[in-house]
Amino acid sequence: MVLETFSQPQKNLGITLLSQRELDKMRRVGKLAANLLDYLESMVKPGISTQELNDRAARWMRDRGAIAATLGYAPPGHPPFTGSICTSINEVVCHGIPSRNQILQDGDIINIDVTPILDGYHGDTSRTFLVGNVSQQARKLVQVTEESMLRGIAEIKPGARVGDIGAAIQKYAEANGFSVVRELTGHGVGRKFHTKPEIPHFGRPGKGLKLRTGMVFTVEPMINQGTRHLKFLKDGWTVITRDRQLSAQFEHTVAVTETGFEILTVS
């Protein structure tokens, strides 16, 4: 789940480095989060409501001893979020709120963002799914978004800079004719849902915070079909593209290891 809004680069203050015991807990909840997306994928078809997807996800988490971090989540400036997952369709960039009136249509794309809490730790991940027969341009957007995330993650290692991640994402997305959302970033995650560091999905190589072993954060680029500019809706959560063109997102939670990185949200 995205929450951090981009600000100036931060000093290395307030960043928690996780121990091996804590990383084991993050691996467990990360795998659970990835398995939840696997479970939901088969239901993403024309005719299903986002509320039904939400309710199925809530039951699945409950049956496995987990709870949804998003349900009732109310950071400063936001009303309590009413969903157990985020469901962002087509021009919705992030934080789409599940609804019984929101029915998936043939040709849609939908990002499903899940964050179960298990044993006090958060597993944060999302994927964009194709609904039925999707246009070639929408399919390309989704493919490029996932690849841009993976290229950003590939830059992660001790001593690298946050700007290396963002630069790799930006270069690939823009080379394919798409734009990168700048106002919303990845974030640290662990016992808390959103912590430092911020992880912008654009930047310059060699700039920004230096990465250290034990850091855990999300990489979650939002890539737009048209311009990068956004509109924040009055519900206090939903973010859409200003030009109403499509947006896609993928997200993994990643740990910085002694030799590089480990993706924690894999099934």
Side-chain angles (χ1 to χ4, degrees), residues 160-165 167 203-209:
R161 300 280 182 170
V162 165
D164 299 335
I165 302 171
R204 295 171 58 191
K207 300 295 183 181
L209 183 74

Side-chain angles (χ1 to χ4, degrees), residues 30-86:
K31 182 177 180 179
L32 185 79
N35 288 343
L36 173 54
L37 288 179
D38 290 346
Y39 169 72
L40 293 173
E41 182 174 12
S42 64
M43 302 175 204
V44 177
K45 296 177 180 179
I48 194 170
S49 73
T50 54
Q51 186 64 50
E52 184 172 352
L53 291 172
N54 178 87
D55 294 347
R56 296 279 192 95
R59 286 195 297 270
W60 191 94
M61 284 185 275
R62 186 170 59 247
D63 290 346
R64 287 156 182 79
I67 59 173
T70 54
L71 185 60
Y73 186 59
H78 296 264
F81 194 80
T82 57
S84 295
I85 61 176
C86 298

